[in-house]
Amino acid sequence: KNQVEQSPQSLIILEGKNCTLQCNYTVSPFSNLRWYKQDTGRGPVSLTIMTFSENTKSNGRYTATLDADTKQSSLHITASQLSDSASYICVVTLTGGGNKLTFGTGTQLKVEL
Amino acid sequence: GAGVSQSPSNKVTEKGKDVELRCDPISGHTALYWYRQRLGQGLEFLIYFQGNSAPDKSGLPSDRFSAERTGESVSTLTIQRTQQEDSAVYLCASSHTGGGNTGELFFGEGSRLTVL
């Protein structure tokens, strides 16, 4: 069964600190990997999209990395802000496109003063 | 429109009633997805429309669920004879191409359904 596993399930950090969220997947064959941010009560918003040939992609204070050999991705958040409090979702796409997106259950991040 | 629009944003209904949820995708987006998100859970795929092709209905959980889309415009998700386990947020997303390519998915804010 194709799966996307995220860790930790939840995380609390102090404002200004950095953090790294993990995503391990078994989806194969792999096309691309996305990270989404979902604020409470809102729809997910895309942060990064990486194809299998890309190792890293940045979007402001967010940097995603991908190791297609080990099937691992990470999302690093630098100098966290209170507004970073949200669920971060890893999404992996099978080759072939269409509807074949597999969503992780997300990491719930809370940034505190 | 500027983004994906969903309505209603909140719906409370009694068990056994039918509900209809609406999604207005971004103009020009050929692909449209419906997902279900139960509290604290990940997104579950329900149905996928791509242009005028036959929709992929493989994620619909039962025959009480159905969806329609006319061309590349509005889509409606209908749940008949609602059950308490149908309570969830129903999210719609659209994409310029099939989302399985690197086409970015744009999500609406969701319709929160509560079945009493």
Side-chain angles (χ1 to χ4, degrees), chain A residues 32 34 38 42-43 46 98-99, chain B residues 33 37 56 99-101 104 109:
Chain A
N32 61 67
R34 310 156 189 251
Q38 185 175 23
R42 309 295 296 274
S46 179
N99 63 298
Chain B
Y33 301 75
Q37 188 175 31
D56 180 344
N101 301 315
E104 185 174 342
E109 302 290 19

Side-chain angles (χ1 to χ4, degrees), chain A residues 44-58:
Chain A
V45 174
S46 179
L47 295 175
T48 62
I49 301 174
M50 291 182 289
T51 65
F52 65 90
S53 62
E54 294 178 289
N55 299 121
T56 186
K57 183 72 70 76
S58 291

Side-chain angles (χ1 to χ4, degrees), chain B residues 23-66:
Chain B
C23 174
D24 279 278
I26 294 173
S27 178
H29 280 193
T30 59
L32 186 147
Y33 301 75
W34 282 100
Y35 293 93
R36 178 171 69 180
Q37 188 175 31
R38 290 192 168 115
L39 186 64
Q41 302 294 314
L43 276 71
E44 301 173 69
F45 166 75
L46 295 178
I47 189 168
Y48 163 68
F49 296 91
Q50 174 60 52
N52 293 316
S53 302
D56 180 344
K57 305 179 181 180
S58 61
L60 294 178
S62 77
D63 59 7
R64 296 187 296 105
F65 288 72
S66 62

Side-chain angles (χ1 to χ4, degrees), chain B residues 44-96:
Chain B
E44 301 173 69
F45 166 75
L46 295 178
I47 189 168
Y48 163 68
F49 296 91
Q50 174 60 52
N52 293 316
S53 302
D56 180 344
K57 305 179 181 180
S58 61
L60 294 178
S62 77
D63 59 7
R64 296 187 296 105
F65 288 72
S66 62
E68 293 183 347
R69 186 185 189 196
T70 303
E72 297 181 357
S73 61
V74 171
S75 176
T76 56
L77 176 68
T78 301
I79 308 173
Q80 296 178 308
R81 305 181 303 281
T82 53
Q83 303 295 314
Q84 288 182 333
E85 66 260 26
D86 299 334
S87 296
V89 175
Y90 290 83
L91 287 161
C92 175
S94 71
S95 174
H96 183 60

